[in-house]
Amino acid sequence: MKKTILMSAMIVAGAAFAAPTIAEVVNNSMEISFQEEKTQVKPDELPDPVKQTISGDETLKEFPVAEAWQIKSVEGEVTFKVAFDNGTADKLWKTYDPQGKEIKE
């Protein structure tokens, strides 16, 4: 009887070691981030529609353009971000599309 139990235990143990193992599936995801392209431009190099919108805006007449940036998004859209010197440490920023339309953020 002892031999039968011992043999049964050995067979079960052998079967456990010989059982196929299932490999773990590892999903390594890679994150790719794209950044927008920013290029500083001189205020007089802004497109004419943008300059016309700025000159026609009564709220900006007293503020000179401090700096201007051309921003090209990942999708290829171009916008112009313009900073106005309003006499404080924080500049007044406005964004325009190439046709001169202000983009509200």
Side-chain angles (χ1 to χ4, degrees):
M1 177 87 167
K2 286 184 181 181
K3 285 185 179 181
T4 308
I5 294 174
L6 183 59
M7 288 301 283
S8 297
M10 288 178 70
I11 290 173
V12 170
F17 286 116
T21 58
I22 299 173
E24 182 179 331
V25 176
V26 178
N27 185 6
N28 290 333
S29 62
M30 185 184 334
E31 183 177 324
I32 299 173
S33 64
F34 296 99
Q35 294 183 346
E36 56 191 20
E37 181 182 320
K38 289 177 70 173
T39 306
Q40 189 167 13
V41 294
K42 294 179 183 177
D44 58 339
E45 294 175 352
L46 288 169
D48 288 333
V50 175
K51 289 192 273 188
Q52 289 173 355
T53 301
I54 292 171
S55 65
D57 190 344
E58 293 295 323
T59 61
L60 300 175
K61 288 227 183 233
E62 59 193 50
F63 303 137
V65 175
E67 59 184 282
W69 293 86
Q70 177 180 339
I71 301 170
K72 186 174 183 182
S73 69
V74 177
E75 295 84 22
E77 297 173 1
V78 176
T79 57
F80 296 91
K81 192 160 187 167
V82 183
F84 298 93
D85 187 8
N86 58 359
T88 64
D90 295 329
K91 296 175 183 165
L92 174 64
W93 288 91
K94 293 204 176 216
T95 306
Y96 302 94
D97 67 7
Q99 290 76 34
K101 182 177 177 186
E102 183 178 351
I103 300 171
K104 304 284 185 185
E105 296 179 357

